[in-house]
């Protein structure tokens, strides 16, 4: 019978957290194996330009930055593989991770850096204008909309925060809210209501986007299904989704502690999960900051935590 492969440090996911963990783990001689997952390079590969990652004074494309991180991890010997983890069994050590529903690898330590995915409305136009006016990250892309008109979709804390952030750059921000109230915390609501640069469009839904070479406007409907239903076009240059994120933790449900929104719970100041030897880094454990630099930092911490676990357990 074929023996399962035994890995000292298995990293799942290839965003800034995964690659940074791979850089540190390979330099610490942990012989890490990294499976790239569903979206090699992670969410940043869908961002046009990264201008807030320290060390790139001229900015860098998300794609190039992830390629550089991958090369840096490979340079120190990280074994980077294509493949998606489809099941995880943490009930006995070494832990057993299934790749593509077939191959099973055994791991002494696991670093979960599977990230989170921004939710989209599901309109075909969101894909059509991806990188051409549609974004799910105001902090990443807001700078490109200086003195322009933008819309943010959503009524939660993220939407209010993004609208507020964009209001200091754009000439006008519309907040498109499907209900007739905001779900955000009182303090965020007050900030948005008091901001003269933000106009809230309540009871409004987006049916599509239009524009020649990029977004030039949105097709909106107000009071859909009511007797005051009204369709109109709103001229905008940027369309920002802020309707929530979903951490990519489906395969870990039931085997590791998750919070009520599905994010992995880590012990304060560490990347330790409730399973010894399993660590979480990046957006999969971070509903709050969600930045490339914070993900990279936690990837570094996870590799250091994994090394200490191996040493302490003579593995
Ligand atoms: P939320 O789930 O809180 O809010 C999502 C918003 O998007 C809601 O207004 C929702 O509308 C709307 N929405 C969802 N789907 C659609 C859709 N298909 N079409 C139109 N609108 C839609 O997500 P957030 O990302 O805002 O927040 C997640 C968590 O993180 C919350 O607990 C929040 O408090 C927290 N957070 C805290 C921050 C802070 O403390 N500084 C900053 C950011 C987030 P509806 O209300 O109708 O369902």
């Amino acid at each position: 019978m074929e023996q399962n492969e035994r890995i000292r440090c298995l990293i799942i996911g290839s965003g800034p957290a995964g690659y940074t963990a791979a850089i540190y783990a390979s330099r610490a001689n942990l012989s890490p194996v990294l499976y790239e997952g569903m979206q090699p390079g992670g969410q940043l590969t869908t961002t046009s330009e990264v201008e807030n990652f320290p060390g790139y004074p001229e900015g860098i494309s998300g794609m190039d930055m992830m390629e550089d991180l991958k090369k840096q991890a490979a340079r120190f010997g990280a074994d980077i593989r294509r493949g998606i983890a489809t099941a995880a069994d943490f009930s006995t050590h070494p832990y057993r991770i299934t790749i593509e529903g077939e191959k099973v690898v055994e791991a002494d330590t696991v670093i979960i850096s599977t990230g989170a995915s921004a939710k989209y409305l599901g309109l075909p136009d969101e894909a059509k204008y991806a990188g051409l006016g549609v974004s799910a990250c105001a902090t990443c892309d807001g700078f490109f909309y200086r003195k322009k008109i933008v819309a943010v979709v959503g009524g939660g804390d993220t939407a209010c925060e993004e609208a507020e952030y964009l209001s200091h750059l754009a000439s006008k921000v519309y907040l498109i809210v499907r209900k007739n109230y905001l779900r955000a915390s009182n303090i965020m609501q007050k900030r948005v209501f008091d901001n003269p640069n933000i106009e809230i469009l309540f009871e409004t839904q987006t049916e599509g986007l239009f524009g020649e070479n990029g977004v030039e406007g949105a097709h909106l409907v107000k009071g859909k299904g009511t007797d005051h239903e009204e369709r109109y076009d709103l001229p905008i240059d940027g369309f920002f989704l802020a309707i929530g994120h979903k951490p990519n933790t489906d395969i870990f449900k039931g085997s590791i502690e998750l919070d009520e929104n599905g994010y992995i719970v880590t012990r304060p100041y560490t990347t330790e999960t409730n399973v010894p030897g399993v660590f979480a880094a990046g957006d999969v454990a971070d509903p709050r900051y969600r930045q490339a630099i914070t993900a990279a930092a936690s990837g570094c911490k996870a590799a250091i935590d994994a090394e200490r676990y191996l040493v302490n357990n003579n593995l």
Side-chain angles (χ1 to χ4, degrees), residues 119-122 153-162 176-185 187-188 191 204-206 241-245 260-261 263 287-290:
K119 291 186 195 160
Y120 285 79
L121 297 171
V153 185
D157 278 322
T158 303
C160 290
E161 218 170 61
E162 307 244 303
I176 303 175
V177 182
R178 67 179 172 184
K179 296 212 175 106
N180 61 359
Y181 60 88
L182 295 175
R183 187 203 284 211
S185 53
I187 183 161
M188 284 312 298
R191 272 191 212 155
T204 302
Q205 295 180 43
T206 310
L241 282 310
I243 59 172
H245 283 75
E260 68 277 10
N261 295 315
Y263 288 89
R288 192 180 174 101
Y289 300 105
R290 297 196 294 251

Side-chain angles (χ1 to χ4, degrees), residues 30-47:
L30 307 190
S31 310
V33 171
L34 178 150
Y35 278 97
E36 289 184 322
M38 201 93 75
Q39 186 180 29
Q43 291 182 78
L44 273 191
T45 56
T46 62
T47 308

Side-chain angles (χ1 to χ4, degrees), residues 39-315:
Q39 186 180 29
Q43 291 182 78
L44 273 191
T45 56
T46 62
T47 308
S48 37
E49 195 79 3
V50 181
E51 295 187 326
N52 54 8
F53 199 97
Y56 295 102
E58 306 302 326
I60 183 168
S61 84
M63 203 61 117
D64 289 349
M65 187 170 123
M66 296 321 296
E67 202 46 49
D68 281 352
L69 282 177
K70 181 177 180 175
K71 277 192 210 143
Q72 196 172 348
R75 176 180 158 212
F76 298 112
D79 181 349
I80 297 165
R81 303 177 184 173
R82 284 267 160 155
I84 300 167
T86 48
D89 178 359
F90 298 140
S91 60
T92 52
H93 196 271
Y95 303 125
R96 292 160 58 86
I97 308 294
T98 309
I99 308 297
E100 307 281 358
E102 292 174 357
K103 182 183 159 94
V104 175
V105 295
E106 295 184 337
D108 290 323
T109 60
V110 180
I111 296 175
I112 302 172
S113 45
T114 46
S117 307
K119 291 186 195 160
Y120 285 79
L121 297 171
L123 301 170
D125 286 342
E126 289 170 318
K128 180 175 169 190
Y129 294 105
L132 297 170
V134 172
S135 168
C137 179
T139 333
C140 318
D141 298 328
F143 191 69
F144 304 109
Y145 297 91
R146 274 171 302 167
K147 304 213 174 359
K148 294 192 171 170
I149 302 172
V150 298
V152 177
V153 185
D157 278 322
T158 303
C160 290
E161 218 170 61
E162 307 244 303
E164 170 79 7
Y165 178 82
L166 288 166
S167 74
H168 301 294
L169 299 165
S171 59
K172 169 102 190 175
V173 180
Y174 292 100
L175 188 59
I176 303 175
V177 182
R178 67 179 172 184
K179 296 212 175 106
N180 61 359
Y181 60 88
L182 295 175
R183 187 203 284 211
S185 53
N186 285 339
I187 183 161
M188 284 312 298
Q189 291 199 27
K190 183 165 173 7
R191 272 191 212 155
V192 165
F193 284 129
D194 291 349
N195 191 320
N197 218 6
I198 301 175
E199 182 177 339
I200 307 180
L201 307 175
F202 281 115
E203 273 189 275
T204 302
Q205 295 180 43
T206 310
E207 299 207 311
L209 301 166
F210 60 89
E212 280 288 318
N213 300 312
V215 170
E216 290 172 14
H219 302 298
L220 302 183
V221 52
K222 184 175 166 67
K224 191 172 182 177
T226 65
D227 54 7
H228 56 270
E229 180 174 297
E230 179 195 346
R231 286 194 155 67
Y232 64 101
D233 287 347
L234 180 75
I236 50 168
D237 304 295
F239 184 75
F240 287 82
L241 282 310
I243 59 172
H245 283 75
K246 185 184 173 302
N248 300 319
T249 50
D250 286 352
I251 68 163
F252 306 112
K253 266 182 199 146
S255 54
I256 204 165
E257 187 185 351
L258 306 177
D259 73 9
E260 68 277 10
N261 295 315
Y263 288 89
I264 296 177
V265 177
T266 52
R267 214 163 62 85
Y269 310 117
T270 77
T271 62
E272 293 168 10
T273 68
N274 66 320
V275 181
V278 178
F279 308 92
D283 288 11
V284 75
D286 174 16
R288 192 180 174 101
Y289 300 105
R290 297 196 294 251
Q291 300 300 302
I293 187 69
T294 52
S298 68
C300 157
K301 292 183 196 173
I304 292 173
D305 286 341
E307 186 198 5
R308 289 187 184 154
Y309 173 87
L310 290 167
V311 169
N312 291 340
N313 290 280
N314 297 317
L315 291 164

